[in-house]
């Protein structure tokens, strides 16, 4: 292992040394096709820079559209960047997205607001339920629409949405295999193949498999991830295609239903970040499967139509020890409880969209209309053993012993079952009017109907039932002005809404209540200068979130239930800068910066708003910076990369300080003729830091220490 480690350490030093020799950059013209193969089964690492990781189109607005014509900030992270950065899951790419930072598990802080919802190919139905993080093996690109997205996606957080776009069959035959190794006993292998089935290419296929295992730095932990993915695409007519896809996931995480590590009020860890409240017998096991069909067609160059259906079925089982804060009698001991939880979830969604370009009154209109429908059943069976659970030392944790019987004693308790049924239906219409060649007006309206039901029972005896149904209208309008074809300026106003929790609609509490609303004003500039070799985007925004329910102390309780009122308001404002540039034909640079100030601007004295402490929001940094630069040497058939991230100070859910951090990583990619080798190191200086804060009882989530990764990639 020492030889392997020294080889990887070399990838830290060489990029810094070589990046000081810009005169070596080749000034050859950009190739027309910046592919990865020269046609002779030779892997090359020198053709990817000219792609600039750019996306000419995005489907984050449900229909294919040039990002320059969307009056909101949009970012697209494509598979080339995944490959160059060695990204494995969603947490590996957050540093590339301005305005987005890690919160917990798969949750992020998005323009100041916590957001846990993800979409797949424009539809609801995230197979990574609960506490598992989306994997990227079968993902072609990640699309990020910032700000309220109610027009296209219905109920959701006003911070924005993340849409994962799946890999689909290709008309070109290829086979790619990857072997992975690294510290913490990381080993893995994956393969994916695609191409035509018949000589005419009417039917194409894609099949892939992924396996990776490692023992992370937290004590007792082991991660094993498996993905099997297959798809068939059938050309049904001229311009029409039907794609059928199935994906199976199996994530086994031993002792890895992780909380944080306890800290003092200044945010200093009270013990080594390897500390873990979980026993070696604890686990989280997610098994899920997703099936979808998508039909797309066009009628000439003026009309497009697509329809999709997606079904997923997931089951997450977990048994773990939850930290419950320090023992008042002994500050070296952390109290614990044992939790046994099973979460089966399944959902079915439908979606259809159509666009038509029509000339009216001398102006071109691009009409877009669509509808979506979603039905989900989410059940949580939970039993918690709160007494008799052995506390764990911070300084000298001893696992096993009396704690081994916790699962057996918990099994004697009845399950408390929370059965949540969710239904969403929505229809929308948008018109994009070309007032002139350089002036676009966009306007849209959507109506959503929603229904939520929650039933709680213990040992089969129902203790509470609540349900609520309602509807709401969301709007979006924007004006886009293009003084030049490669410069787009815009201003927009957009809305979102979130239904109140069904349990809060109790008539005794004053319900029913209108949804929480989000309204955003945003203005910005998008550029694609020098034939697209320089992309610089600037966006400034102000989001106001209203109708947040709080206890109204001026009203007396009714039947023992506190009266609620929609008197909470939060304002988020900030700006974001994203820069992507081909500095030379061999040197690419990505930089993003986000500033955000999220504060409570309306409340009742003494009342709290979820995820806020005082007038500030938890895990909402004022400043976040990310960068990535890659320099390639054609003469060496090699590329060197260096990147980093800075996140400013934050507070946790308990008001404890979360200290700022800055980390760096680097990599070398070398062509070997028959293959390509990536050597990568993350957190070069092995900085100890908190990726996010949580609570005083559970501590902060520590960031990963220095990590090494090697990938051998073979493509045919």
């Amino acid at each position: 292992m020492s030889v392997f480690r020294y080889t990887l350490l070399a990838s830290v030093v060489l990029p810094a040394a070589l990046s000081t020799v810009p005169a070596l950059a080749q000034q050859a013209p950009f190739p027309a096709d910046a592919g990865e193969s020269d046609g002779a089964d030779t892997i090359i690492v020198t053709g990817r820079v000219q792609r600039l990781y750019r996306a000419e189109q995005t489907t984050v607005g449900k229909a294919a559209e040039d990002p320059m014509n969307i009056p909101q900030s949009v970012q697209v992270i494509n598979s080339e960047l995944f490959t160059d950065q060695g990204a494995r899951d969603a947490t590996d790419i957050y540093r590339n997205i301005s305005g987005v930072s890690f919160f917990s598990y798969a949750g992020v802080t998005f323009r100041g607001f916590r957001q846990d919802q993800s979409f797949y190919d424009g539809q609801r139905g995230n197979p990574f339920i609960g506490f598992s993080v989306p994997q990227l093996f079968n993902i072609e690109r990640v699309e990020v629409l910032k700000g309220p997205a109610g027009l296209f996606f219905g109920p959701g957080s006003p911070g924005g949405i993340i849409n994962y776009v799946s890999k689909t069959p290709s008309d070109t035959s290829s086979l790619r295999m990857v072997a992975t190794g690294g510290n913490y006993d990381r080993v893995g292998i994956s393969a994916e193949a695609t191409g035509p089935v018949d000589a005419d290419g009417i039917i194409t296929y894609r099949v892939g498999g992924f396996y990776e295992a490692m023992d992370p730095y937290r004590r007792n932990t082991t991660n094993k991830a498996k993905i099997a993915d297959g798809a068939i695409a059938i050309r049904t007519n001229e311009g029409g295609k039907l794609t059928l896809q199935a994906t199976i996931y199996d994530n086994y995480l031993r002792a890895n239903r992780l909380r944080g590590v306890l800290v003092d009020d200044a945010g200093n860890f009270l013990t080594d970040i390897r500390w873990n409240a979980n026993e070696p017998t604890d686990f989280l096991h997610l098994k899920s499967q997703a099936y979808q069909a998508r039909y797309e067609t066009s009628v000439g160059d003026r009309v497009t139509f697509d329809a999709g259906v997606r079904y997923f079925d997931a089951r997450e089982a977990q048994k773990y020890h939850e930290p419950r804060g320090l023992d008042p009698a002994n500050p070296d001991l952390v109290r614990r409880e044992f939790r046994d939880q099973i979460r089966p979830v399944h959902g079915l969604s439908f979606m259809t969209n159509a666009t038509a370009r029509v000339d009216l009154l001398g102006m071109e209109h691009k009409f877009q209309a669509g509808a979506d429908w979603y039905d989900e059943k989410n059940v949580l069976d939970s039993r918690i053993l709160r007494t008799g659970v052995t506390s764990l030392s911070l300084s000298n944790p001893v696992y096993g012993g009396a704690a081994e019987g916790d699962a057996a004693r918990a099994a004697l308790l009845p399950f408390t079952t929370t059965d949540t049924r969710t239904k969403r239906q929505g229809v929308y219409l948008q018109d994009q009017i070309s007032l002139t060649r350089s002036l676009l007006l966009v306007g849209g309206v959507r109506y959503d109907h929603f229904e939520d039901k929650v039933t709680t029972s213990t040992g089969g005896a129902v203790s509470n039932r609540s349900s609520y149904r309602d509807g709401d209208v969301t709007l979006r309008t924007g004006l886009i002005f293009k003084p030049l074809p490669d410069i787009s300026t815009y201003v927009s106003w957009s809305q979102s809404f979130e239904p109140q929790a069904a349990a809060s609609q109790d008539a005794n509490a004053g319900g029913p209540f209108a949804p929480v609303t989000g309204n955003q004003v945003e203005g910005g500039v998008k550029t694609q200068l020098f034939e697209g070799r320089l992309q610089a985007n600037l966006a400034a925004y102000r989001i106001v979130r209203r109708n947040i329910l709080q206890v109204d102390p001026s009203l007396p309780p009714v039947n023992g239930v506190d009266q609620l009122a929609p008197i909470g308001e939060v304002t988020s404002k900030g700006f974001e800068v994203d820069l992507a540039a081909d500095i030379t034909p061999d040197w690419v640079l990505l930089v993003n910066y986000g500033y955000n100030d999220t504060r409570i601007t309306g409340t009742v004295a003494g009342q709290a708003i979820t995820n806020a402490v005082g007038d500030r929001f938890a895990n909402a940094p004022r400043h976040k910076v990310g960068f990535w630069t890659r320099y390639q040497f054609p003469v060496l058939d090699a590329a060197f990369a260096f990147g980093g991230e800075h996140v400013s100070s934050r507070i946790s859910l308990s008001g404890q300080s979360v200290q700022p951090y800055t980390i760096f990583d680097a990599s070398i990619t070398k062509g070997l003729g028959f293959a390509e080798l990536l050597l990568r190191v993350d957190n070069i200086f092995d900085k100890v830091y908190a990726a996010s804060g949580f609570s005083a009882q559970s501590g902060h989530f520590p960031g990963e220490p220095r990590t090494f990764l090697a990938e051998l990639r073979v493509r045919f």
Side-chain angles (χ1 to χ4, degrees), residues 95 627 643-646 661-665 683-684 687 689:
R95 68 173 58 183
F627 76 93
E645 178 184 36
H646 170 77
Y661 70 85
T662 304
I663 55 174
F664 301 97
D665 52 67
N683 193 358
I684 294 171
K687 181 177 179 59
Y689 69 99

Side-chain angles (χ1 to χ4, degrees), residues 291-360:
Y291 306 94
Q292 66 180 36
R294 184 77 175 266
Y295 176 67
E296 303 170 278
T297 190
S298 60
V299 181
D301 59 357
R302 291 253 161 180
V303 177
T304 66
F305 172 80
D306 70 86
V309 57
R310 178 177 176 85
Y311 172 78
F312 82 97
D313 183 44
R315 183 181 186 274
E316 185 180 74
Q318 50 188 9
K319 296 183 179 182
Y320 66 101
H321 284 76
E322 171 81 359
R324 301 302 295 167
L326 295 174
D327 187 334
N330 185 345
D332 183 56
L333 293 181
V334 177
R335 296 175 297 179
R336 297 185 297 173
E337 60 186 29
F338 179 79
R339 298 183 178 182
D340 181 353
Q341 297 177 333
I342 303 172
R343 189 189 304 269
V345 182
H346 64 80
L348 178 65
S349 65
F350 297 96
M351 175 184 70
T352 182
N353 306 280
T355 66
R357 295 184 182 274
V358 180
D359 293 323
L360 291 174

Side-chain angles (χ1 to χ4, degrees), residues 88-128:
R88 287 298 190 276
D89 60 44
T91 62
D92 293 329
I93 63 172
Y94 295 153
R95 68 173 58 183
N96 300 307
I97 308 171
S98 61
V100 171
S101 57
F102 177 71
F103 195 109
S104 64
Y105 307 104
V108 297
T109 298
F110 213 142
R111 287 190 169 179
F113 299 108
R114 184 174 182 176
Q115 200 263 68
D116 298 288
Q117 194 176 64
S118 298
F119 292 81
Y120 278 74
D121 300 304
Q123 295 183 262
R124 297 177 186 270
N126 181 7
F128 294 95

